[in-house]
Amino acid sequence: MLKSINPTTGKTVKTYEAHTEKGIEKIINSVDKSWHHWRQSSYSERATAFQNLSTLLRSKKEELALLMAIEMGKVINEGISEIEKCAWVCEYYAQNAESFLENEIIQNEASRSFVSFQPLGTVLAVMPWNFPFWQVFRFLAPTLMAGNTAVLKHASNVPGCAVAIEELVREAGFPENVFRTLLIGSNLVENVIKHNAIKAVSLTGSTSAGKSVAAIAGSVLKKCVLELGGSDPYLILEDADLEAAAKICAKSRLLNAGQSCIAAKRFIVVDEVYPEFLEHFTHEMNTAHFGDPCESETTMGPMARINLRDELHQQVVESVKKGAEIILGGEIPNRKGAFYPPTILESVTSGMPAYDEELFGPVAAVIRVKDEKEAIKTANETTFGLGAAVFTNDLKRGEIIAEFKLEAGCCFVNDFVKSDPRLPFGGIGESGYGRELSTHGIKEFMNVKTVVVK
Ligand code: NAP
């Protein structure tokens, strides 16, 4: 049994019968069967289905945003933007998949040699609850446009979103069983990965889930793409526009109640501008209005689950015990629901959870450093490597730091890290491997086939 529990009220909204082992077997076999037809379909047939899906998403954006607000606490406006982004990624791959996967001709001594991109078959997606539509659609659009089929194991706390995605695909007119949702807990993921019809797996989630899935996939030699956690550093240099930087930093930290893999998490500020930046940043963090995600004045909803809120608070308490100072928030509010206030910790140093671990909620760790050199060293002092940003008015300086000095998959100058269908997305180190989106993402689940005609 899977439950939707509203994190604002703590009430169970709906329960869903989980699939039995027999049910899982039947679904995987039917998706595998449909692959043999789907892979023969033309790009234009697939593109028509994705254009329909895109239109459908746009027409239902309010209703789907409400579903997210009720299941995991996302503010309605953010939910609407998320659905619009899903519609965009469907259109993007509908328009570009064919050119991305064109044969590459290689000149050699044979009469003809080329590289052809062929689909692998049915791919399993294991997805998180924090962007319950976007995480799935950024996998689904390239994977299906490339001629693969897919099954989804969504996070256990968003079964309503999981079912809604399957219904949207059906309603958009895709052939039966090219995409199905499995309503299962994580204990059954191993069996699914090991199923003969599953050819690869994509997991977005925590580093511990990634290690577990990678080990299982490795044991049966199946490819995986891992999009895992992060502790993104944002560097504030002495020549930055501090007011603008503080606005961007607070926005990135508080979006989705701080529950984003690419949220800014560590703010590394050079000595010269530390007091001024902190003043602007505290002001910006303090303007958030947290409350019921369905109310129009709310800018930050609750966290997705009480246990996640409590784990975050524990990280704050541990960090304070080790010397961090709370300058904003830091206390569980006396109200129902999984709420946690915007929080700023300063004097954060190595050895504290706020320095070493991912803070998956609205808590900012501020770190004071001497200069650019120390800022870069501190930024890279992490096991993660997903995103990073640097703020400076010298764009060339920023570009050099972003390109050569920061060890992360996505590095931005004077902006917050965000995903975009046109750009590859992914990390290094404990943030995972492989890339999603762009021309790189669509090639992850393909047989890159060499064809030589003598
Ligand atoms: P999670 O607990 O790792 O869960 C993610 C998914 O993996 C869920 O479907 C979960 O199923 C499943 N899962 C958990 N443990 C598993 C295991 N041992 N074997 C197989 N499957 C397992 O993560 P979350 O709390 O949903 O999401 C937050 C984490 O995801 C954060 O660390 C965040 O940074 C990361 N994230 C990364 C990206 C990225 O693009 N890099 C994007 C978003 C989120 P159940 O729900 O049934 O446990």
Short mmCIF file of all heavy atoms in Angstrom, two decimals, residues 160-224:
data_model
loop_
_atom_site.label_atom_id
_atom_site.label_comp_id
_atom_site.label_asym_id
_atom_site.label_seq_id
_atom_site.Cartn_x
_atom_site.Cartn_y
_atom_site.Cartn_z
N GLY A 160 0.36 9.48 -6.44
CA GLY A 160 -0.63 10.18 -7.26
C GLY A 160 0.04 10.77 -8.51
O GLY A 160 -0.51 10.68 -9.62
N CYS A 161 1.23 11.34 -8.35
CA CYS A 161 1.96 11.89 -9.51
C CYS A 161 2.36 10.76 -10.45
O CYS A 161 2.28 10.89 -11.68
CB CYS A 161 3.20 12.66 -9.05
SG CYS A 161 2.83 14.12 -8.08
N ALA A 162 2.78 9.63 -9.87
CA ALA A 162 3.21 8.48 -10.70
C ALA A 162 2.07 7.99 -11.58
O ALA A 162 2.25 7.77 -12.78
CB ALA A 162 3.70 7.36 -9.77
N VAL A 163 0.89 7.88 -10.99
CA VAL A 163 -0.27 7.41 -11.74
C VAL A 163 -0.69 8.46 -12.78
O VAL A 163 -1.01 8.13 -13.92
CB VAL A 163 -1.43 7.09 -10.75
CG1 VAL A 163 -2.75 6.89 -11.48
CG2 VAL A 163 -1.08 5.88 -9.90
N ALA A 164 -0.62 9.74 -12.38
CA ALA A 164 -1.02 10.81 -13.31
C ALA A 164 -0.13 10.82 -14.56
O ALA A 164 -0.61 11.04 -15.67
CB ALA A 164 -0.93 12.16 -12.60
N ILE A 165 1.17 10.54 -14.38
CA ILE A 165 2.08 10.56 -15.54
C ILE A 165 1.70 9.44 -16.52
O ILE A 165 1.64 9.64 -17.73
CB ILE A 165 3.56 10.47 -15.07
CG1 ILE A 165 3.92 11.74 -14.29
CG2 ILE A 165 4.50 10.29 -16.27
CD1 ILE A 165 5.24 11.67 -13.53
N GLU A 166 1.42 8.26 -15.96
CA GLU A 166 1.01 7.15 -16.85
C GLU A 166 -0.27 7.52 -17.60
O GLU A 166 -0.39 7.28 -18.81
CB GLU A 166 0.79 5.89 -16.01
CG GLU A 166 0.51 4.67 -16.86
CD GLU A 166 0.31 3.42 -16.01
OE1 GLU A 166 -0.84 3.15 -15.60
OE2 GLU A 166 1.30 2.72 -15.76
N GLU A 167 -1.21 8.15 -16.90
CA GLU A 167 -2.48 8.52 -17.56
C GLU A 167 -2.27 9.58 -18.64
O GLU A 167 -2.89 9.53 -19.69
CB GLU A 167 -3.46 9.04 -16.50
CG GLU A 167 -4.08 7.88 -15.73
CD GLU A 167 -4.89 8.33 -14.49
OE1 GLU A 167 -5.04 9.55 -14.26
OE2 GLU A 167 -5.31 7.44 -13.75
N LEU A 168 -1.36 10.53 -18.36
CA LEU A 168 -1.09 11.58 -19.36
C LEU A 168 -0.53 10.97 -20.65
O LEU A 168 -0.91 11.35 -21.75
CB LEU A 168 -0.06 12.58 -18.79
CG LEU A 168 -0.57 13.59 -17.77
CD1 LEU A 168 0.60 14.18 -16.97
CD2 LEU A 168 -1.36 14.70 -18.44
N VAL A 169 0.39 10.02 -20.48
CA VAL A 169 1.01 9.38 -21.66
C VAL A 169 -0.07 8.65 -22.47
O VAL A 169 -0.13 8.75 -23.70
CB VAL A 169 2.14 8.42 -21.22
CG1 VAL A 169 2.65 7.59 -22.37
CG2 VAL A 169 3.29 9.22 -20.58
N ARG A 170 -0.94 7.97 -21.75
CA ARG A 170 -2.02 7.24 -22.44
C ARG A 170 -2.94 8.21 -23.17
O ARG A 170 -3.24 8.03 -24.34
CB ARG A 170 -2.80 6.43 -21.39
CG ARG A 170 -3.63 5.32 -21.98
CD ARG A 170 -4.19 4.41 -20.89
NE ARG A 170 -3.20 3.52 -20.31
CZ ARG A 170 -3.04 3.34 -18.99
NH1 ARG A 170 -3.77 3.98 -18.11
NH2 ARG A 170 -2.13 2.48 -18.55
N GLU A 171 -3.34 9.26 -22.45
CA GLU A 171 -4.28 10.23 -23.03
C GLU A 171 -3.69 10.97 -24.22
O GLU A 171 -4.41 11.39 -25.13
CB GLU A 171 -4.68 11.23 -21.92
CG GLU A 171 -6.01 11.91 -22.18
CD GLU A 171 -6.36 12.92 -21.08
OE1 GLU A 171 -5.97 12.70 -19.91
OE2 GLU A 171 -7.00 13.93 -21.41
N ALA A 172 -2.38 11.11 -24.24
CA ALA A 172 -1.73 11.81 -25.36
C ALA A 172 -1.71 10.95 -26.62
O ALA A 172 -1.32 11.41 -27.69
CB ALA A 172 -0.31 12.20 -24.97
N GLY A 173 -2.10 9.69 -26.51
CA GLY A 173 -2.22 8.84 -27.69
C GLY A 173 -1.01 7.97 -27.99
O GLY A 173 -0.87 7.44 -29.09
N PHE A 174 -0.13 7.79 -27.02
CA PHE A 174 1.00 6.87 -27.22
C PHE A 174 0.43 5.45 -27.33
O PHE A 174 -0.60 5.14 -26.72
CB PHE A 174 1.95 6.91 -26.01
CG PHE A 174 2.88 8.09 -26.01
CD1 PHE A 174 2.41 9.37 -25.70
CD2 PHE A 174 4.22 7.93 -26.33
CE1 PHE A 174 3.27 10.46 -25.70
CE2 PHE A 174 5.09 9.01 -26.32
CZ PHE A 174 4.61 10.28 -26.00
N PRO A 175 1.08 4.54 -28.05
CA PRO A 175 0.62 3.16 -28.08
C PRO A 175 0.63 2.57 -26.67
O PRO A 175 1.45 2.97 -25.84
CB PRO A 175 1.66 2.46 -28.96
CG PRO A 175 2.38 3.53 -29.68
CD PRO A 175 2.27 4.78 -28.87
N GLU A 176 -0.27 1.63 -26.42
CA GLU A 176 -0.35 0.97 -25.11
C GLU A 176 1.01 0.45 -24.68
O GLU A 176 1.76 -0.10 -25.50
CB GLU A 176 -1.26 -0.28 -25.23
CG GLU A 176 -2.76 -0.07 -24.91
CD GLU A 176 -3.03 0.60 -23.57
OE1 GLU A 176 -2.87 -0.06 -22.54
OE2 GLU A 176 -3.42 1.79 -23.58
N ASN A 177 1.32 0.61 -23.43
CA ASN A 177 2.48 -0.04 -22.79
C ASN A 177 3.87 0.41 -23.26
O ASN A 177 4.84 -0.30 -23.04
CB ASN A 177 2.39 -1.57 -22.95
CG ASN A 177 1.17 -2.11 -22.24
OD1 ASN A 177 0.84 -1.67 -21.14
ND2 ASN A 177 0.48 -3.06 -22.87
N VAL A 178 3.97 1.57 -23.90
CA VAL A 178 5.35 2.03 -24.16
C VAL A 178 5.93 2.67 -22.90
O VAL A 178 7.15 2.81 -22.75
CB VAL A 178 5.47 3.01 -25.35
CG1 VAL A 178 5.11 2.33 -26.65
CG2 VAL A 178 4.67 4.27 -25.15
N PHE A 179 5.04 3.05 -22.00
CA PHE A 179 5.49 3.60 -20.72
C PHE A 179 4.49 3.17 -19.64
O PHE A 179 3.29 3.33 -19.81
CB PHE A 179 5.53 5.14 -20.77
CG PHE A 179 5.75 5.75 -19.41
CD1 PHE A 179 7.02 5.82 -18.87
CD2 PHE A 179 4.67 6.22 -18.65
CE1 PHE A 179 7.22 6.35 -17.60
CE2 PHE A 179 4.87 6.75 -17.38
CZ PHE A 179 6.15 6.81 -16.85
N ARG A 180 5.00 2.60 -18.56
CA ARG A 180 4.10 2.19 -17.46
C ARG A 180 4.71 2.54 -16.11
O ARG A 180 5.94 2.58 -15.96
CB ARG A 180 3.86 0.66 -17.52
CG ARG A 180 3.05 0.19 -18.73
CD ARG A 180 1.60 0.60 -18.70
NE ARG A 180 0.89 0.17 -17.52
CZ ARG A 180 0.31 -1.03 -17.37
NH1 ARG A 180 0.34 -1.90 -18.36
NH2 ARG A 180 -0.30 -1.34 -16.24
N THR A 181 3.82 2.75 -15.17
CA THR A 181 4.24 3.02 -13.80
C THR A 181 4.15 1.74 -12.98
O THR A 181 3.14 1.02 -13.08
CB THR A 181 3.32 4.11 -13.20
OG1 THR A 181 3.71 5.37 -13.73
CG2 THR A 181 3.43 4.17 -11.69
N LEU A 182 5.18 1.47 -12.20
CA LEU A 182 5.13 0.35 -11.24
C LEU A 182 4.93 0.96 -9.86
O LEU A 182 5.75 1.78 -9.42
CB LEU A 182 6.46 -0.41 -11.24
CG LEU A 182 6.88 -1.11 -12.52
CD1 LEU A 182 8.30 -1.65 -12.38
CD2 LEU A 182 5.92 -2.25 -12.85
N LEU A 183 3.88 0.59 -9.19
CA LEU A 183 3.66 1.10 -7.82
C LEU A 183 4.31 0.12 -6.85
O LEU A 183 3.70 -0.87 -6.44
CB LEU A 183 2.16 1.26 -7.55
CG LEU A 183 1.48 2.40 -8.29
CD1 LEU A 183 -0.03 2.38 -8.08
CD2 LEU A 183 2.05 3.76 -7.90
N ILE A 184 5.58 0.41 -6.54
CA ILE A 184 6.35 -0.52 -5.68
C ILE A 184 7.26 0.27 -4.74
O ILE A 184 7.59 1.42 -5.01
CB ILE A 184 7.23 -1.50 -6.52
CG1 ILE A 184 8.18 -0.71 -7.45
CG2 ILE A 184 6.37 -2.47 -7.31
CD1 ILE A 184 9.21 -1.58 -8.14
N GLY A 185 7.67 -0.37 -3.69
CA GLY A 185 8.64 0.23 -2.78
C GLY A 185 10.05 -0.05 -3.29
O GLY A 185 10.25 -0.85 -4.23
N SER A 186 11.05 0.57 -2.65
CA SER A 186 12.42 0.43 -3.15
C SER A 186 12.97 -0.99 -2.93
O SER A 186 13.93 -1.39 -3.59
CB SER A 186 13.33 1.47 -2.50
OG SER A 186 13.23 1.40 -1.11
N ASN A 187 12.33 -1.74 -2.04
CA ASN A 187 12.80 -3.12 -1.80
C ASN A 187 12.66 -4.01 -3.04
O ASN A 187 13.33 -5.05 -3.13
CB ASN A 187 12.04 -3.74 -0.61
CG ASN A 187 10.53 -3.75 -0.84
OD1 ASN A 187 9.98 -2.80 -1.39
ND2 ASN A 187 9.87 -4.82 -0.47
N LEU A 188 11.80 -3.61 -3.99
CA LEU A 188 11.61 -4.47 -5.18
C LEU A 188 12.42 -4.00 -6.39
O LEU A 188 12.37 -4.62 -7.46
CB LEU A 188 10.11 -4.53 -5.53
CG LEU A 188 9.26 -5.30 -4.50
CD1 LEU A 188 7.79 -5.29 -4.90
CD2 LEU A 188 9.74 -6.75 -4.36
N VAL A 189 13.17 -2.92 -6.21
CA VAL A 189 13.94 -2.38 -7.35
C VAL A 189 14.97 -3.40 -7.85
O VAL A 189 15.18 -3.57 -9.06
CB VAL A 189 14.60 -1.03 -6.96
CG1 VAL A 189 15.62 -0.59 -7.98
CG2 VAL A 189 13.53 0.04 -6.78
N GLU A 190 15.58 -4.12 -6.93
CA GLU A 190 16.61 -5.10 -7.32
C GLU A 190 16.04 -6.12 -8.32
O GLU A 190 16.65 -6.40 -9.35
CB GLU A 190 17.15 -5.81 -6.08
CG GLU A 190 18.16 -6.88 -6.44
CD GLU A 190 19.03 -7.33 -5.27
OE1 GLU A 190 18.80 -6.87 -4.13
OE2 GLU A 190 19.95 -8.13 -5.52
N ASN A 191 14.86 -6.67 -8.00
CA ASN A 191 14.25 -7.66 -8.89
C ASN A 191 13.98 -7.07 -10.27
O ASN A 191 14.16 -7.74 -11.29
CB ASN A 191 12.90 -8.15 -8.33
CG ASN A 191 13.09 -8.94 -7.06
OD1 ASN A 191 14.23 -9.21 -6.67
ND2 ASN A 191 12.01 -9.29 -6.40
N VAL A 192 13.53 -5.82 -10.27
CA VAL A 192 13.20 -5.19 -11.57
C VAL A 192 14.48 -5.00 -12.39
O VAL A 192 14.53 -5.33 -13.58
CB VAL A 192 12.46 -3.84 -11.36
CG1 VAL A 192 12.18 -3.18 -12.70
CG2 VAL A 192 11.15 -4.07 -10.59
N ILE A 193 15.54 -4.50 -11.73
CA ILE A 193 16.80 -4.29 -12.48
C ILE A 193 17.29 -5.62 -13.06
O ILE A 193 17.78 -5.68 -14.20
CB ILE A 193 17.89 -3.67 -11.57
CG1 ILE A 193 17.48 -2.27 -11.15
CG2 ILE A 193 19.25 -3.65 -12.27
CD1 ILE A 193 18.42 -1.62 -10.12
N LYS A 194 17.12 -6.69 -12.29
CA LYS A 194 17.65 -7.98 -12.74
C LYS A 194 16.75 -8.69 -13.76
O LYS A 194 17.14 -9.71 -14.32
CB LYS A 194 17.88 -8.89 -11.53
CG LYS A 194 19.08 -8.42 -10.69
CD LYS A 194 19.35 -9.33 -9.53
CE LYS A 194 20.68 -8.95 -8.85
NZ LYS A 194 20.89 -9.67 -7.60
N HIS A 195 15.57 -8.14 -13.99
CA HIS A 195 14.65 -8.76 -14.96
C HIS A 195 15.29 -8.73 -16.35
O HIS A 195 15.85 -7.70 -16.77
CB HIS A 195 13.33 -7.98 -14.96
CG HIS A 195 12.21 -8.69 -15.65
ND1 HIS A 195 12.18 -8.89 -17.02
CD2 HIS A 195 11.09 -9.26 -15.16
CE1 HIS A 195 11.08 -9.54 -17.33
NE2 HIS A 195 10.40 -9.78 -16.22
N ASN A 196 15.16 -9.83 -17.07
CA ASN A 196 15.82 -9.91 -18.39
C ASN A 196 15.38 -8.83 -19.37
O ASN A 196 16.15 -8.41 -20.24
CB ASN A 196 15.52 -11.28 -19.04
CG ASN A 196 16.41 -12.33 -18.44
OD1 ASN A 196 17.46 -12.00 -17.86
ND2 ASN A 196 16.01 -13.60 -18.54
N ALA A 197 14.14 -8.39 -19.24
CA ALA A 197 13.62 -7.40 -20.21
C ALA A 197 14.11 -5.98 -19.91
O ALA A 197 13.98 -5.09 -20.74
CB ALA A 197 12.10 -7.42 -20.21
N ILE A 198 14.66 -5.76 -18.72
CA ILE A 198 15.16 -4.42 -18.38
C ILE A 198 16.62 -4.32 -18.85
O ILE A 198 17.47 -5.10 -18.45
CB ILE A 198 15.05 -4.15 -16.85
CG1 ILE A 198 13.59 -4.20 -16.40
CG2 ILE A 198 15.71 -2.81 -16.46
CD1 ILE A 198 12.68 -3.12 -16.97
N LYS A 199 16.88 -3.31 -19.68
CA LYS A 199 18.21 -3.22 -20.30
C LYS A 199 19.12 -2.19 -19.64
O LYS A 199 20.33 -2.21 -19.83
CB LYS A 199 18.08 -2.86 -21.79
CG LYS A 199 17.22 -3.85 -22.58
CD LYS A 199 17.79 -5.27 -22.54
CE LYS A 199 16.94 -6.24 -23.32
NZ LYS A 199 16.94 -7.58 -22.78
N ALA A 200 18.53 -1.25 -18.90
CA ALA A 200 19.34 -0.19 -18.27
C ALA A 200 18.50 0.49 -17.20
O ALA A 200 17.29 0.28 -17.14
CB ALA A 200 19.78 0.82 -19.32
N VAL A 201 19.18 1.31 -16.40
CA VAL A 201 18.44 1.99 -15.33
C VAL A 201 18.94 3.42 -15.15
O VAL A 201 20.14 3.70 -15.27
CB VAL A 201 18.51 1.18 -14.00
CG1 VAL A 201 19.92 0.82 -13.61
CG2 VAL A 201 17.85 1.91 -12.84
N SER A 202 17.98 4.32 -14.89
CA SER A 202 18.31 5.71 -14.59
C SER A 202 17.79 6.00 -13.20
O SER A 202 16.60 5.79 -12.94
CB SER A 202 17.61 6.62 -15.61
OG SER A 202 17.91 7.96 -15.34
N LEU A 203 18.65 6.44 -12.31
CA LEU A 203 18.18 6.78 -10.96
C LEU A 203 18.49 8.23 -10.64
O LEU A 203 19.61 8.68 -10.84
CB LEU A 203 18.85 5.90 -9.89
CG LEU A 203 18.47 6.35 -8.47
CD1 LEU A 203 17.87 5.21 -7.66
CD2 LEU A 203 19.60 6.98 -7.71
N THR A 204 17.49 8.94 -10.18
CA THR A 204 17.70 10.26 -9.60
C THR A 204 17.30 10.15 -8.14
O THR A 204 16.18 9.74 -7.84
CB THR A 204 16.83 11.32 -10.32
OG1 THR A 204 17.19 11.34 -11.70
CG2 THR A 204 17.07 12.69 -9.74
N GLY A 205 18.22 10.48 -7.25
CA GLY A 205 17.91 10.34 -5.83
C GLY A 205 19.15 10.56 -5.00
O GLY A 205 20.12 11.19 -5.44
N SER A 206 19.14 10.01 -3.81
CA SER A 206 20.24 10.23 -2.89
C SER A 206 21.47 9.41 -3.29
O SER A 206 21.37 8.43 -4.04
CB SER A 206 19.81 9.84 -1.48
OG SER A 206 19.43 8.48 -1.49
N THR A 207 22.61 9.80 -2.74
CA THR A 207 23.85 9.09 -3.03
C THR A 207 23.77 7.64 -2.55
O THR A 207 24.24 6.72 -3.23
CB THR A 207 25.04 9.85 -2.41
OG1 THR A 207 25.08 11.14 -3.02
CG2 THR A 207 26.36 9.14 -2.64
N SER A 208 23.13 7.41 -1.40
CA SER A 208 23.07 6.03 -0.91
C SER A 208 22.21 5.16 -1.84
O SER A 208 22.58 4.02 -2.13
CB SER A 208 22.58 5.97 0.54
OG SER A 208 21.26 6.41 0.60
N ALA A 209 21.10 5.70 -2.34
CA ALA A 209 20.28 4.93 -3.29
C ALA A 209 21.08 4.67 -4.57
O ALA A 209 21.03 3.58 -5.15
CB ALA A 209 18.99 5.68 -3.60
N GLY A 210 21.86 5.68 -4.99
CA GLY A 210 22.67 5.54 -6.20
C GLY A 210 23.69 4.43 -6.08
O GLY A 210 23.88 3.62 -6.99
N LYS A 211 24.34 4.36 -4.90
CA LYS A 211 25.36 3.32 -4.70
C LYS A 211 24.71 1.94 -4.75
O LYS A 211 25.26 1.00 -5.32
CB LYS A 211 26.07 3.53 -3.36
CG LYS A 211 27.05 4.69 -3.42
CD LYS A 211 27.71 4.92 -2.08
CE LYS A 211 28.67 6.11 -2.18
NZ LYS A 211 29.20 6.52 -0.89
N SER A 212 23.55 1.84 -4.14
CA SER A 212 22.87 0.55 -4.10
C SER A 212 22.44 0.12 -5.52
O SER A 212 22.69 -1.01 -5.95
CB SER A 212 21.67 0.70 -3.14
OG SER A 212 20.81 -0.36 -3.28
N VAL A 213 21.82 1.05 -6.25
CA VAL A 213 21.36 0.72 -7.61
C VAL A 213 22.55 0.42 -8.54
O VAL A 213 22.50 -0.51 -9.35
CB VAL A 213 20.46 1.86 -8.14
CG1 VAL A 213 20.33 1.83 -9.65
CG2 VAL A 213 19.08 1.76 -7.49
N ALA A 214 23.62 1.20 -8.39
CA ALA A 214 24.80 0.97 -9.24
C ALA A 214 25.39 -0.42 -8.97
O ALA A 214 25.83 -1.11 -9.90
CB ALA A 214 25.85 2.04 -8.98
N ALA A 215 25.39 -0.84 -7.69
CA ALA A 215 25.95 -2.15 -7.36
C ALA A 215 25.10 -3.27 -7.96
O ALA A 215 25.63 -4.23 -8.53
CB ALA A 215 26.03 -2.31 -5.84
N ILE A 216 23.79 -3.10 -7.90
CA ILE A 216 22.89 -4.14 -8.47
C ILE A 216 23.04 -4.16 -10.00
O ILE A 216 23.20 -5.23 -10.60
CB ILE A 216 21.42 -3.87 -8.08
CG1 ILE A 216 21.25 -3.92 -6.56
CG2 ILE A 216 20.48 -4.87 -8.77
CD1 ILE A 216 19.97 -3.25 -6.05
N ALA A 217 23.01 -2.97 -10.59
CA ALA A 217 23.14 -2.90 -12.06
C ALA A 217 24.50 -3.47 -12.48
O ALA A 217 24.59 -4.20 -13.48
CB ALA A 217 22.98 -1.46 -12.53
N GLY A 218 25.53 -3.16 -11.71
CA GLY A 218 26.87 -3.68 -12.02
C GLY A 218 26.91 -5.20 -11.94
O GLY A 218 27.57 -5.85 -12.76
N SER A 219 26.17 -5.77 -10.99
CA SER A 219 26.22 -7.22 -10.82
C SER A 219 25.62 -7.96 -12.02
O SER A 219 25.91 -9.13 -12.23
CB SER A 219 25.51 -7.64 -9.53
OG SER A 219 24.11 -7.56 -9.70
N VAL A 220 24.76 -7.27 -12.78
CA VAL A 220 24.19 -7.90 -13.99
C VAL A 220 24.62 -7.14 -15.26
O VAL A 220 24.02 -7.30 -16.33
CB VAL A 220 22.64 -8.00 -13.89
CG1 VAL A 220 22.22 -9.12 -12.97
CG2 VAL A 220 22.00 -6.68 -13.44
N LEU A 221 25.64 -6.32 -15.10
CA LEU A 221 26.23 -5.57 -16.21
C LEU A 221 25.22 -4.78 -17.04
O LEU A 221 25.18 -4.89 -18.27
CB LEU A 221 27.04 -6.51 -17.12
CG LEU A 221 28.36 -6.99 -16.53
CD1 LEU A 221 29.09 -7.90 -17.50
CD2 LEU A 221 29.26 -5.80 -16.16
N LYS A 222 24.39 -4.02 -16.31
CA LYS A 222 23.46 -3.15 -17.02
C LYS A 222 23.87 -1.71 -16.81
O LYS A 222 24.29 -1.33 -15.72
CB LYS A 222 22.04 -3.40 -16.53
CG LYS A 222 21.55 -4.80 -16.93
CD LYS A 222 20.13 -5.08 -16.58
CE LYS A 222 19.83 -6.52 -16.95
NZ LYS A 222 18.48 -6.94 -16.57
N LYS A 223 23.76 -0.94 -17.86
CA LYS A 223 24.19 0.46 -17.79
C LYS A 223 23.31 1.25 -16.84
O LYS A 223 22.11 1.03 -16.77
CB LYS A 223 24.08 1.05 -19.20
CG LYS A 223 24.19 2.56 -19.23
CD LYS A 223 25.24 3.04 -20.21
CE LYS A 223 25.51 4.52 -20.04
NZ LYS A 223 25.58 5.22 -21.29
N CYS A 224 23.90 2.19 -16.10
CA CYS A 224 23.04 3.11 -15.33
C CYS A 224 23.52 4.55 -15.43
O CYS A 224 24.70 4.81 -15.67
CB CYS A 224 22.87 2.67 -13.88
SG CYS A 224 24.34 2.54 -12.92
#
